[in-house]
Amino acid sequence: MGKLSKTLINDWMKNAERFEARGDGDNLWLRYRSRDLYPRWFLRYSIGGQPRTLHLGSYRDLSLAEARARAKKLRAEIALGHDVAHLKKDRVKAVSERVLAERDGLTVGALADNFYDRYIAGRLKHPEIVRSWINNRIKPAIGALSLADIRPSHVDKFIRGIAKDAPSTSTKILGCLTQIFNFGMKLGRMQSNPASMFDSSDAGGKARSRTRWLSVSEIRSLLTAMDKANGWTIQNGLSVRLLLMLAVRKSELIQACIDEFDLAESLWRIPAVRTKSERGISIPLPTQAVAAVKKLIELAEGSEWLLPARKMQSRMVPYISADTINAALAKCVRPLMASVDHFTLHDLRRTARTHLEALGIAPHVAERCLNHSIKGLVGVYNRYDYIDERREALQRWADFLSRVETEALDNPQATKW
């Protein structure tokens, strides 16, 4: 709890009580000099032993709660080694350059960045997905084209190229690109939208529910390949095992704070704000998962995040990118699995659900293991969490995975399916 309060600050202003610095805690300070119309917020920190002070804004524009939230976000950047005072100057310079680009000939890439800053950052629950589309898809293909030169033929070639390997993604990126060009028209920089005449049938078509899951032999192939792969880190291997073992979503794992884990009780408490269903859940951890989490905490080297960012990045988030494990899997592991058809990390949730059923786990318990709600009136009236049943189910699943990894299991009679 901070030391300052709204009432206290308002009293100082009412009484014209001036001061140089009064702290709220965690290096957040308030200044109210004689020449200040309103008190002003500052964040103090040090980089490389050198003290720094960053002006956050006035109390008129930044409430106490907003100042605390901004300071918390900046401290996360500082923890990664970013000098936020210099970064602020760099951002001002970037905005100035962007304004000049608008005046002198805006490119698709610059417009996409402008769109992201205005409509995506700070608004979406997972803005890093759109950021990834812009940086890894849009900019390399058409980002250098000026808005005066972009044509429907460019959009068609771009979208069809993505649809060959990722049809569902291509449909989503087409929708994003349409919004970006609509934004260009709103700014008066474009007379028409070169993406407006395309729909999902021109990209990947309507998104279909995936049905891919890994068989016992494919799971064994994955686990074996991860052990043999060069350049495949311990963190990546443990992360994939946890995704498979616990059937959680990738974002729930990579954004996990260490304080969410109660290893003494073998529980992982995911808050509602971090789940797709916006419903918090306590996940019982099998003994194998507890060991994996302990190792990841050790490898985190004091970070508050289970999977901290491994190097300084411009993303300004303290945990690994959503693409980190995917890229490493494609580069290091997939080449050792030539006989296994393509699968995604999200398919591991379906894999777990399928094998839980095969292990004899009741369907409603298996659904709750995935944090799915029970359908119909039963789900409305039945609020029981099945924590003990889920603990038993996930432990049986983890034990089975251990046998798959350590035993041959080549005999078709070794399993019931």
Side-chain angles (χ1 to χ4, degrees):
M1 188 70 179
K3 300 177 182 178
L4 303 182
S5 69
K6 180 179 178 181
T7 301
L8 195 58
I9 297 172
N10 288 338
D11 285 344
W12 292 335
M13 294 174 62
K14 181 180 179 180
N15 299 325
E17 183 177 345
R18 306 293 175 154
F19 49 86
E20 182 60 28
R22 291 180 180 173
D24 184 57
D26 290 328
N27 295 320
L28 178 63
W29 295 83
L30 190 66
R31 186 194 75 192
Y32 194 24
R33 292 175 177 171
S34 57
R35 65 173 180 267
D36 292 333
L37 293 177
Y38 295 89
R40 309 193 75 81
W41 295 108
F42 290 87
L43 180 68
R44 294 176 179 174
Y45 66 100
S46 62
I47 289 287
Q50 298 298 314
R52 295 280 193 273
T53 301
L54 177 64
H55 174 234
L56 303 183
S58 74
Y59 183 69
R60 179 190 63 179
D61 302 320
L62 206 63
S63 69
L64 175 59
E66 290 168 339
R68 286 171 175 168
R70 184 171 298 182
K72 182 178 180 181
K73 181 178 179 181
L74 289 168
R75 284 195 296 270
E77 297 181 21
I78 294 167
L80 291 175
H82 296 294
D83 190 344
V84 291
H86 286 173
L87 286 172
K88 184 177 180 182
K89 295 177 183 178
D90 291 340
R91 287 169 181 165
V92 170
K93 180 180 178 182
V95 170
S96 298
E97 291 174 348
R98 192 169 295 165
V99 170
L100 290 175
E102 290 182 10
R103 187 187 68 186
D104 297 333
L106 192 64
T107 64
V108 173
L111 179 66
D113 285 337
N114 202 337
F115 170 80
Y116 177 87
D117 291 342
R118 187 174 298 191
Y119 294 107
I120 305 301
R123 294 192 179 190
L124 295 190
K125 187 174 182 179
H126 296 293
E128 68 275 5
I129 295 176
V130 178
R131 181 78 270 172
S132 176
W133 293 343
I134 292 173
N135 288 350
N136 301 329
R137 298 285 193 174
I138 295 174
K139 282 187 175 180
I142 58 176
L145 291 172
S146 72
L147 298 188
D149 294 333
I150 185 73
R151 296 288 184 271
S153 58
H154 296 128
V155 176
D156 182 53
K157 182 179 179 181
F158 168 57
I159 292 299
R160 289 184 181 277
I162 300 173
K164 291 179 181 178
D165 301 316
S168 179
T169 300
S170 69
T171 301
K172 295 173 183 176
I173 293 178
L174 174 60
C176 179
L177 199 58
T178 301
Q179 293 182 57
I180 290 171
F181 291 140
N182 282 339
F183 176 56
M185 294 176 65
K186 184 184 293 186
L187 293 177
R189 306 296 298 179
M190 305 180 73
Q191 298 300 315
S192 62
N193 186 332
S196 62
M197 59 191 69
F198 298 97
D199 57 31
S200 60
S201 64
D202 297 298
K206 185 177 180 179
R208 300 185 182 89
S209 297
R210 290 180 60 83
T211 59
R212 179 77 168 98
W213 59 279
L214 275 64
S215 66
V216 173
S217 62
E218 289 176 325
I219 293 173
R220 187 189 309 118
S221 179
L222 170 62
L223 298 174
T224 301
M226 288 195 298
D227 288 338
K228 294 181 178 179
N230 292 323
W232 179 252
T233 67
I234 296 174
Q235 292 95 325
N236 287 336
L238 292 173
S239 298
V240 172
R241 283 174 167 82
L242 285 172
L243 290 173
L244 180 59
M245 196 186 311
L246 303 179
V248 295
R249 294 178 175 87
K250 182 179 63 175
S251 62
E252 294 169 347
L253 180 64
I254 67 175
Q255 297 174 20
C257 290
I258 290 175
D259 62 11
E260 293 175 2
F261 295 89
D262 183 347
L263 297 185
E265 296 293 328
S266 298
L267 282 175
W268 174 16
R269 297 182 177 91
I270 306 179
V273 70
R274 290 211 311 104
T275 67
K276 181 179 179 181
S277 62
E278 297 185 348
R279 181 177 57 247
I281 186 172
S282 293
I283 299 177
L285 298 175
T287 55
Q288 297 90 331
V290 170
V293 171
K294 285 182 177 178
K295 185 62 177 178
L296 286 174
I297 292 175
E298 176 188 335
L299 294 171
E301 298 181 338
S303 171
E304 63 180 296
W305 305 94
L306 187 68
L307 294 168
R310 299 170 191 174
K311 59 183 179 180
M312 290 180 62
Q313 302 174 49
S314 59
R315 303 179 299 112
M316 300 301 175
V317 292
Y319 43 78
I320 64 172
S321 163
D323 297 323
T324 296
I325 302 176
N326 302 60
L329 190 72
K331 180 180 179 180
C332 305
V333 178
R334 286 294 301 167
L336 304 180
M337 303 175 63
S339 62
V340 176
D341 290 339
H342 175 74
F343 65 91
T344 69
L345 288 176
H346 194 72
D347 293 333
L348 299 183
R349 272 171 61 82
R350 193 176 301 103
T351 297
R353 176 64 179 84
T354 301
H355 288 286
L356 283 171
E357 188 94 7
L359 283 168
I361 304 302
H364 61 280
V365 175
E367 285 294 287
R368 290 300 297 133
C369 285
L370 274 68
N371 200 17
H372 285 169
S373 58
I374 300 173
K375 305 297 183 183
L377 286 175
V378 173
V380 172
Y381 290 101
N382 183 3
R383 314 311 293 175
Y384 181 55
D385 200 33
Y386 297 96
I387 185 71
D388 293 332
E389 293 85 349
R390 288 189 289 119
R391 186 180 295 279
E392 179 185 355
L394 290 176
Q395 186 62 62
R396 286 175 62 184
W397 170 230
D399 291 342
F400 178 79
L401 290 174
S402 295
R403 295 199 306 274
V404 170
E405 188 167 14
T406 59
E407 300 175 7
L409 286 185
D410 287 327
N411 181 354
Q413 300 303 316
T415 64
K416 61 184 286 187
W417 68 97

